[in-house]
Amino acid sequence: MIPPAVPHHETPLPVAGRWPLFGAFALVFLIFAQVSSVLVSPPDRDMGHLQKIMYVHVPAAWTTFLAFFVVLVFSLLVLWKGRETHDLIAASAAEVGAMFNALTLALGMIWGRPTWGVWWTWDARLTSTLVLFLIFVGYLSLRAFIEEPERRARWSAAVGVLGAINVPIVYMSVKWWRTLHQLQSSPSTVDPAYVYGLRVNAFAFLFVLIYLVRRRYEAARLARAAEQLNDVAALGGR
Amino acid sequence: MASSINFVIAAYALTWVCLVAYATYVHRTLRRARDEYQRASRQPAGEAR
């Protein structure tokens, strides 16, 4: 039995606090990460300078996975505790995750064209990443269509859990179905010359993710609180 | 060589366009939500828009 959604007045409204400062730090760190990694890393023996696309494509993919992991955790909390705050965090992470997912796909296409000779192929990794993206577009569309907050929270939590289950499939797809996409890039699988660039950009993308999810959540909470105040006012303060 | 650099430039440019566009959207949404919340907070009971 799923508990009813608790009005989210129970937790205080989020305030901007030092988040704008954190956003500025994330921006400066991202610039530093990209400039330093591009300057430091030598051209790859096979791919030449194209290897530098790895510093944006791979961190964007990791950030997507992390954002959808946040969706999974908070969607499960919604189904367990029924709190609207958790629903709004999940929704914020889903939106930011979908943006990083789209970026991952587009960067993969830009990298694929000169290395594979095609913009797109129905490879297991590419297809499963596209399916992941479509699931979260569906998640966001569902939220836009359901007006009743309690029902919206539960339905989207269910879709969020189902969507996030796809993440391990995307990650393992290159091992389970050996097609065109290379095996997972990580500091343990790439040449030591590229580890710095991969790590520093992964942290830069992580900071951007944290900032965007927090600010998107802040906007969602304020919008929902305004909606609730308007409802109370419409009912004559009851 | 020149062609591969063009793809690298395109990838980094796309990353920045995507992140800046989304961050701008988030900030606008936040500003709108804050304004709406302040308007709703000032609103006397029974005078909802």
Side-chain angles (χ1 to χ4, degrees):
Chain A
M1 174 81 180
I2 298 166
V6 177
H8 73 172
H9 300 296
E10 286 192 355
T11 49
L13 280 174
V15 289
R18 290 187 180 163
W19 286 100
L21 199 65
F22 182 80
F25 161 74
L27 176 70
V28 171
F29 192 82
L30 183 64
I31 295 169
F32 163 77
Q34 293 196 348
V35 171
S36 65
S37 56
V38 165
L39 292 179
V40 162
S41 71
D44 181 71
R45 189 188 55 201
D46 300 320
M47 282 189 280
H49 289 292
L50 283 172
Q51 172 277 331
K52 290 173 175 57
I53 298 177
M54 181 176 76
Y55 300 139
V56 280
H57 175 66
V58 175
W62 289 347
T63 310
T64 305
F65 294 161
L66 191 59
F68 292 153
F69 179 71
V70 173
V71 176
L72 173 69
V73 170
F74 283 92
S75 294
L76 288 172
L77 281 171
V78 169
L79 294 174
W80 180 32
K81 294 189 170 179
R83 290 183 66 168
E84 198 173 32
T85 306
H86 296 148
D87 171 55
L88 296 180
I89 296 173
S92 305
E95 191 182 282
V96 180
M99 184 273 293
F100 276 109
N101 197 341
L103 181 63
T104 305
L105 284 167
L107 290 172
M109 288 167 79
I110 293 175
W111 202 359
R113 182 68 185 84
T115 48
W116 298 337
V118 287
W119 293 101
W120 181 265
T121 176
W122 295 101
D123 164 270
R125 170 57 74 85
L126 275 68
T127 308
S128 56
T129 309
L130 178 65
V131 168
L132 185 68
F133 175 68
L134 293 176
I135 289 173
F136 280 93
V137 168
Y139 173 99
L140 296 170
S141 311
L142 183 75
R143 294 189 67 84
F145 281 118
I146 304 177
E147 283 196 8
E148 206 266 297
E150 210 174 295
R151 207 154 61 94
R152 180 175 58 211
R154 286 182 192 158
W155 277 93
S156 48
V159 175
V161 171
L162 289 175
I165 287 171
N166 197 32
V167 169
I169 298 172
V170 175
Y171 186 76
M172 295 305 292
S173 60
V174 283
K175 280 194 177 161
W176 290 342
W177 304 281
R178 291 295 297 273
T179 49
L180 197 54
H181 196 285
Q182 67 190 62
L183 285 174
Q184 298 99 333
S185 298
S186 76
S188 58
T189 59
V190 300
D191 188 281
Y194 306 133
V195 170
Y196 164 78
L198 206 50
R199 280 217 172 108
V200 76
N201 279 288
F203 277 107
F205 273 64
L206 172 68
F207 297 147
V208 171
L209 171 76
I210 292 169
Y211 176 74
L212 290 175
V213 171
R214 174 55 175 71
R215 299 299 270 184
R216 188 64 190 87
Y217 163 67
E218 195 180 326
R221 275 292 307 273
L222 284 168
R224 186 75 190 104
E227 224 175 88
Q228 287 170 335
L229 284 172
N230 282 333
D231 288 348
V232 170
L235 292 170
R238 275 181 293 162
Chain B
M1 166 76 177
S3 153
S4 78
I5 284 181
N6 289 342
F7 281 103
V8 175
I9 291 169
Y12 280 80
L14 177 73
T15 303
W16 279 97
V17 166
C18 199
L19 293 181
V20 169
Y22 184 72
T24 306
Y25 158 75
V26 169
H27 287 134
R28 276 190 192 155
T29 309
L30 181 56
R31 200 181 321 126
R32 259 202 312 271
R34 203 174 284 142
D35 291 347
E36 181 62 28
Y37 179 72
Q38 278 166 0
R39 249 197 314 274
S41 308
R42 283 195 299 266
Q43 195 170 239
E47 285 186 18
R49 282 174 305 119

